[in-house]
Amino acid sequence: MKLTKALVLCSTAMFGGAGLAHAADLPVKARAIDYVKTCSLYGAGFYYIPGTDTCIKLGGYLRVQTGLATNALYDAANSGAAGAQNRLRNYYSTGSREDLTIDTRTQTDYGLVRTFFDAVFTWNSGGYAGAGQTAVNGSTAYSGATVAGGTLGVYYAFIQFAGLTIGKAQSQYSAPWANYPGNNFERPAGGGGWDPVNQFTYTADFGQGISVSFSAQDQVQHDTTNIWNVSAATAAGLATGAYGGNDIAGTASPDFIAMLRVDQAWGLFQTALAAHDNHAAYYGVDETSGHPSDKWGWAGQLALSIKNIPTGPGDTINLTGVYTSGASRYNFQDYMSTSYAMYGGTGLAGAYQSIGLGGLSDAVFVAGSGQELTTTYGFRGGYTHNWDPRWATSIYGAWAAVRYNNTAKGYICGAFLATLALSSGAAGCDPDFNYSVVGLTTGWTPVKNLTFSADLAYSMLDQKYAGGSTVTLPVQSGIAKPGAVYKLKDQNSLTLLLRAQRNW
């Protein structure tokens, strides 16, 4: 009996100890998981960042495209190897892109705080050009991304708070559709462009879709074309439409913009004014040579969008008109060329080929003179018709003029006569030009957020040099053009862009 009792007690102690051991091994109770929750305050696609009151939305697209008869995908064959129209031009160019957007929003005691970021990873095919003056054997060199290369681009990066927009955002000068009035891919002149720019903006919202914005924005690259020192003109530069040395100094002032917008159910009306400081560098190679004084230019734009038109649901008409003086980028937006050299055939005896030349600037000067501001004006428009939920077609067009005053023409024509032997002399020299485009875009969306589209564009350069005038151009090894006599003549370009895009 004593032995049995001892065994029972021993077994109890053993099992009890084992139970305590297992109890000690049990994990501590985990904290509740903070699941991602839908944020319905700002529309579809927003979620709360776990543990915060900030909502976030991720988005973007993947795009693949091919451009025919252009080296630049989005632009006409109006300069460089594309404008040369010879074996160095690309008969097609390709590109692929992934876009990523990050939109965050937080309600605070001072109102909504928003940040927005948009970056793209892009690969575009390049092209071949002559290897240089020493390449007497006709060799060429490739310029463009490597097979596994590409570029990173930052489109948007801004903060919005209490009416302020700070950072890289679309210019307040531009209409919402910017240079795409008809869902087009071609980027025509005729008003402000889409490309975002660093800015400090205050917007007052009066309700009923009426708002006013005042903005200071960075003019570097986005708002400057050329300030030509014509005294530095060379034969090689003039042959490409560059009417002098590009003599721009460092930044002195941002551009200032005022904008009024009325955005309602019937459509949109917007008017905008911009002030642009032309800040030139020096007349000569060093600061002792002196410099011209700054000269302020300006630009004005009217924009109109008409919705709910009787041709069909979702159909729209977008129109923009612009006038600039010393601020040409507000007409020829910053995706466009600033010098044009387009080659073609000729029936003129003694001329090798024909060429259309055009040069865009904000101002021109010569050593010892002041700046002469360049005037431009133009318009663009587009009409979009939705055939059904899957098919849509747009027609669009734009026309823009560049005009130099008599003093500026004297500077430029003096350079032409001295270096390119303009056959008609000063009387036939006129660097003014018009640039226009008409196009047709059609898109097919077989499933939501997947669109296949095509954009056919016809661009025209209307130069104003006297009919039958010729110039003698130097050898241009980069585009394989010989030193010869060329007839000055209007030119054109027909391009086609095919695109597939999946938004997400």
Side-chain angles (χ1 to χ4, degrees):
M1 184 65 180
K2 289 183 179 180
L3 178 61
T4 303
K5 185 176 181 180
L7 288 173
V8 170
L9 291 173
C10 183
S11 299
T12 302
M14 290 175 61
F15 282 111
L20 290 173
H22 283 297
D25 291 340
L26 288 175
V28 179
K29 185 178 180 181
R31 297 178 60 183
I33 298 174
D34 203 354
Y35 290 100
V36 175
K37 297 183 295 183
T38 300
C39 175
S40 59
L41 296 174
Y42 312 110
F46 280 92
Y47 296 88
Y48 284 102
I49 299 174
T52 75
D53 59 355
T54 296
C55 299
I56 188 170
K57 179 180 181 179
L58 301 179
Y61 62 80
L62 194 144
R63 171 189 298 170
V64 181
Q65 57 193 15
T66 298
L68 305 182
T70 174
N71 288 42
L73 284 178
Y74 297 105
D75 205 359
N78 53 34
S79 62
Q85 296 294 305
N86 59 20
R87 293 181 66 84
L88 295 183
R89 71 165 177 165
N90 289 339
Y91 287 88
Y92 70 91
S93 298
T94 61
S96 299
R97 169 179 293 171
E98 172 63 35
D99 177 274
L100 171 65
T101 62
I102 305 173
D103 190 347
T104 72
R105 307 188 190 190
T106 307
Q107 289 290 346
T108 73
D109 293 339
Y110 299 95
L112 177 68
V113 176
R114 182 193 184 199
T115 68
F116 188 81
F117 175 76
D118 184 1
V120 291
F121 304 89
T122 303
W123 189 92
N124 289 333
S125 61
Y128 287 85
Q133 294 285 355
T134 59
V136 296
N137 61 349
S139 63
T140 61
Y142 176 77
S143 175
T146 58
V147 172
T151 60
L152 169 65
V154 177
Y155 282 157
Y156 292 94
F158 63 82
I159 300 169
Q160 289 181 318
F161 172 67
L164 297 176
T165 299
I166 308 170
K168 198 167 189 280
Q170 183 173 310
S171 171
Q172 303 302 313
Y173 178 88
S174 297
W177 57 88
N179 40 296
Y180 306 107
N183 296 326
N184 47 290
F185 308 150
E186 174 71 24
R187 295 161 171 172
W194 166 81
D195 198 18
V197 58
N198 271 350
Q199 60 189 269
F200 183 90
T201 298
Y202 175 73
T203 300
D205 190 341
F206 300 103
Q208 304 290 321
I210 301 172
S211 62
V212 174
S213 296
F214 300 95
S215 181
Q217 70 180 37
D218 184 12
Q219 67 160 250
V220 179
Q221 184 181 21
H222 186 274
D223 301 323
T224 300
T225 58
N226 301 291
I227 300 177
W228 276 321
N229 182 347
V230 184
S231 296
T234 64
L238 291 170
T240 64
Y243 294 159
N246 199 359
D247 208 352
I248 301 174
T251 55
S253 171
D255 284 10
F256 298 102
I257 294 169
M259 182 268 286
L260 166 67
R261 178 178 294 175
V262 179
D263 189 356
Q264 298 178 341
W266 60 265
L268 177 144
F269 170 78
Q270 178 178 308
T271 181
L273 290 172
H276 173 77
D277 179 34
N278 291 290
H279 186 58
Y282 297 101
Y283 292 129
V285 296
D286 62 49
E287 60 190 37
T288 64
S289 63
H291 60 82
S293 298
D294 285 20
K295 207 164 186 178
W296 281 84
W298 65 276
Q301 177 177 273
L302 295 175
L304 177 67
S305 179
I306 304 173
K307 304 174 185 177
N308 301 318
I309 56 180
T311 55
D315 290 7
T316 58
I317 296 174
N318 296 323
L319 302 168
T320 306
V322 63
Y323 185 95
T324 77
S325 175
S328 300
R329 266 294 180 228
Y330 291 95
N331 185 357
F332 287 75
Q333 41 81 24
D334 68 313
Y335 279 118
M336 296 188 67
S337 298
T338 61
S339 57
Y340 299 85
M342 303 173 69
Y343 289 83
T346 179
L348 181 66
Y352 176 72
Q353 284 183 329
S354 65
I355 185 172
L357 292 174
L360 178 67
S361 66
D362 293 330
V364 301
F365 66 91
V366 295
S369 79
Q371 298 187 62
E372 301 295 330
L373 300 184
T374 305
T375 297
T376 79
Y377 46 89
F379 65 87
R380 69 165 69 109
Y383 163 65
T384 300
H385 173 63
N386 295 279
W387 301 99
D388 57 39
R390 295 185 177 183
W391 287 93
T393 297
S394 301
I395 56 174
Y396 63 92
W399 177 91
V402 176
R403 298 292 182 262
Y404 292 95
N405 65 28
N406 289 335
T407 302
K409 287 181 180 180
Y411 298 158
I412 296 169
C413 291
F416 262 83
L417 292 171
T419 56
L420 298 187
L422 182 66
S423 64
S424 56
C429 180
D430 188 347
D432 294 348
F433 70 94
N434 303 329
Y435 190 77
S436 56
V437 61
V438 293
L440 178 71
T441 302
T442 294
W444 173 52
T445 305
V447 296
K448 185 179 180 180
N449 293 329
L450 175 63
T451 301
F452 300 90
S453 47
D455 186 341
L456 183 68
Y458 181 71
S459 303
M460 296 154 280
L461 175 65
D462 173 19
Q463 53 89 44
K464 300 300 181 182
Y465 295 100
S469 296
T470 62
V471 289
T472 302
L473 302 185
V475 174
Q476 299 175 77
S477 57
I479 57 174
K481 290 298 180 182
V485 173
Y486 292 81
K487 179 183 178 181
L488 288 164
K489 182 183 176 183
D490 298 346
Q491 304 291 341
N492 54 70
S493 171
L494 182 66
T495 58
L496 175 64
L497 184 61
L498 305 174
R499 174 183 292 176
Q501 180 166 316
R502 168 74 161 94
N503 297 332
W504 58 276

